[in-house]
Amino acid sequence: MSGSARERLLEAASDLFYHEGITTTGIDRVIARAQVAKASLYNNFASKDDLVTAYLEVELARVEQVLAALPRDTVGGATLALFDDLAAAAQRPDFVGCPFLNAAVELGGDAPARRVIDAFVARLAGFFLEDLAGDGARATQLLVCYQGAMAAQRLTPGSSLVRAARDMAHKIVEAARARTTSPTVTSAPTPVR
Amino acid sequence: MSGSARERLLEAASDLFYHEGITTTGIDRVIARAQVAKASLYNNFASKDDLVTAYLEVELARVEQVLAALPRDTVGGATLALFDDLAAAAQRPDFVGCPFLNAAVELGGDAPARRVIDAFVARLAGFFLEDLAGDGARATQLLVCYQGAMAAQRLTPGSSLVRAARDMAHKIVEAARARTTSPTVTSAPTPVR
DNA sequence: AGAGTACCAGACAGACCGGTATACTCACCG
DNA sequence: CGGTGAGTATACCGGTCTGTCTGGTACTCT
C-alpha cells in the first residue's frame, strides 16, 4: 500500500478494467482492491465514467512511453520493433489485447471515454505515417495489421495470428523501403478518417 | 408480430444484442421487443447465457449462408467477393462490426458462448484455406485482414480502414494466384491454432 | 367435453449497481 | 493550538439485474 488514494485507485482500476472488463467491474471491487474508501473515489473522480476515462488516459500515456523508446535509425525501424514487442507481449498470459479496442467495444459509441480512444488511434496512425516517411497507403495497411492482431487476441487467444500480423508488417515495411529507394510511387497517401 | 415466441425472441435478441451490446441489454428489453412474456423466455431458454449462445448460433448460420452464396469459379474468387461484401456492408449505418468479436470482448474468456465463437473462427479459417487451395500462410494473412477490418469498425467507425483491408485481401489473393501458376512454394501451411 | 399445451401479464425475490450522506480520525501548518 | 483538508468506515438510496412464481387465457387434439 503506497501512494495517494488517487494513485492507488488508478492502479487498481487499470488492473481490473483491463483484465476483468470495464462494465463487469463494479465500483466496490475497485475500492476494495485499492484499499480506499468509497468517498475518496468520488472525491477524486466525478463518476465511474470519469474513472474509466482516466484509466484510458493512463494507458495512452503508457503507449506514448513505448513509442518514445522505439529506435528510429531507419525508415520503418520503429514499426518493426513495435510489432516485435507486440508479438512478444502476446505470449504473456495476462495479455488480453488492446485496452482501447476492448473499451471501444464495451462502452459503445457515446461514452465520454471515446475522446481518448480516438486520440489513441490518431496517435498510432500518425506514428506509422511518420515512421514510413509519409507513405500513407502502407501506414494504413500497418494499422489494419495492428488492429487485426488485437482483435485476434480476443477472438482466438493463444493463436499464432499476432505473429502472422507481425510478419505482414515486416513485409509492408520492406515494400516501403523499396519504394523510397526506387522512385515508383504506387498510390496516393490515404488518411485514417 | 409473427412466428412462435421462440422465433420472435431470437429475432429481438439478435437485433438488440448486436446493436446495443450483450451486457447492456437486459432481459426485460428483449421480451418487450419480442412482445413475449418473461416465462416464455425461460421456457425456451435456460438462461440469458443460453439465449446469447442461441443468438450467436443464428449469426453463425447467417455466416454459413453468406459463404455458401459466394461464387467459387476461381482460386480466391470467393474471398474477393467476401471482402467486397464486407466493404459494402461497412457503409451501412447499422453495421457495428463482427458480432463474434464484439461478443468475445463483452463476455470474456469463460462464457458458454465461447464454443460458438471458436466455431466461427475455425469456419472462417477453413473457408480461406479452402478458397486459396491450401495456401495456409496467405489464408492466415486474410484472417488478419478480416479481423483488422472488424476491429477498425469499432475503434474508428466510418473510417476507410475496412476498404483498406479489402484492398490488402485483393493483393493477397493475387499473390496466391501467382503462386499456383508458378511452382514457387514460399512457405508451409500454418494452422490457425 | 376435457386434457394438454403454449402463451400472456405481472408481482416478486435477492443480488448488485452507481452514487450520496453521515460521522469520525489524523496529519500538517499557520 | 486550532483549523483545514484528505482519508476512512459504513449505512443507505433508488434503480436495475436475472430469474422464479402465480394466475389466467386461448387453442388444439382426442
Side-chain angles (χ1 to χ4, degrees):
Chain A
M1 169 150 36
S2 61
S4 67
R6 181 173 228 274
E7 286 168 10
R8 270 178 290 152
L9 278 167
L10 270 180
E11 202 171 325
S14 284
D15 188 2
L16 291 171
F17 286 162
Y18 179 64
H19 291 107
E20 319 256 341
I22 294 171
T23 54
T24 65
T25 299
I27 286 293
D28 292 336
R29 300 256 304 284
V30 176
I31 66 171
R33 168 73 65 97
Q35 290 186 278
V36 147
K38 201 183 248 194
S40 296
L41 194 164
Y42 285 97
N43 280 341
N44 287 281
F45 303 95
S47 63
K48 186 187 179 181
D49 273 344
D50 198 38
L51 180 62
V52 171
T53 304
Y55 148 63
L56 287 178
E57 274 164 356
V58 168
E59 293 292 337
L60 185 56
R62 220 171 278 180
V63 167
E64 207 68 53
Q65 266 186 299
V66 169
L67 295 186
L70 257 28
R72 324 237 165 185
D73 37 8
T74 57
V75 170
T79 298
L80 295 181
L82 178 66
F83 272 91
D84 287 350
D85 286 358
L86 196 61
Q91 300 291 107
R92 296 211 313 267
D94 64 332
F95 181 72
V96 291
C98 172
F100 299 96
L101 172 61
N102 299 345
V105 172
E106 279 200 87
L107 301 179
D110 52 351
R114 260 281 154 196
R115 208 198 69 241
V116 191
I117 296 173
D118 292 343
F120 162 74
V121 181
R123 181 68 189 88
L124 198 62
F127 164 78
F128 286 140
L129 189 61
E130 182 191 354
D131 195 48
L132 288 200
D135 187 339
R138 292 204 175 80
T140 304
Q141 292 178 13
L142 287 175
L143 213 47
V144 171
C145 287
Y146 174 86
Q147 297 189 13
M150 295 299 95
Q153 190 64 27
R154 297 318 301 266
L155 271 171
T156 57
S159 78
S160 58
L161 283 178
V162 177
R163 219 173 318 127
R166 187 204 57 171
D167 296 343
M168 290 175 71
H170 278 237
K171 288 240 170 65
I172 293 167
V173 167
E174 283 168 26
R177 284 173 175 170
R179 191 198 73 141
T180 52
T181 52
S182 79
T184 314
V185 177
T186 54
S187 53
T190 308
V192 181
R193 262 193 182 275
Chain B
M1 166 155 34
S2 62
S4 66
R6 180 172 229 274
E7 288 167 9
R8 270 179 290 153
L9 278 167
L10 271 180
E11 203 171 324
S14 285
D15 188 3
L16 291 171
F17 286 164
Y18 179 64
H19 290 106
E20 319 260 341
I22 294 172
T23 54
T24 65
T25 299
I27 286 293
D28 292 336
R29 299 254 307 281
V30 175
I31 67 171
R33 168 74 65 97
Q35 288 186 280
V36 147
K38 200 182 256 193
S40 297
L41 193 165
Y42 284 97
N43 280 341
N44 287 280
F45 303 95
S47 63
K48 185 186 179 180
D49 274 345
D50 198 38
L51 180 62
V52 170
T53 305
Y55 148 64
L56 287 178
E57 274 163 357
V58 168
E59 293 293 337
L60 185 56
R62 219 170 279 179
V63 167
E64 207 68 53
Q65 267 186 300
V66 169
L67 295 186
L70 257 27
R72 323 237 164 184
D73 37 8
T74 57
V75 169
T79 297
L80 295 182
L82 179 67
F83 273 92
D84 287 350
D85 286 358
L86 196 62
Q91 300 292 106
R92 298 211 311 268
D94 63 331
F95 182 73
V96 292
C98 173
F100 299 96
L101 172 59
N102 299 345
V105 173
E106 278 200 86
L107 300 178
D110 51 352
R114 261 282 154 196
R115 210 198 68 239
V116 191
I117 296 173
D118 292 344
F120 162 74
V121 181
R123 180 70 188 90
L124 199 62
F127 164 78
F128 286 140
L129 189 62
E130 182 191 353
D131 195 48
L132 288 200
D135 187 340
R138 292 205 176 79
T140 304
Q141 292 178 13
L142 287 174
L143 213 47
V144 171
C145 287
Y146 174 86
Q147 297 190 15
M150 296 299 95
Q153 191 63 27
R154 297 317 302 265
L155 270 172
T156 56
S159 78
S160 60
L161 283 178
V162 177
R163 218 174 318 127
R166 186 203 58 171
D167 296 344
M168 289 174 73
H170 277 238
K171 288 240 170 66
I172 293 167
V173 167
E174 282 168 27
R177 283 174 175 168
R179 191 199 71 142
T180 52
T181 52
S182 78
T184 314
V185 177
T186 54
S187 52
T190 309
V192 180
R193 267 192 179 272

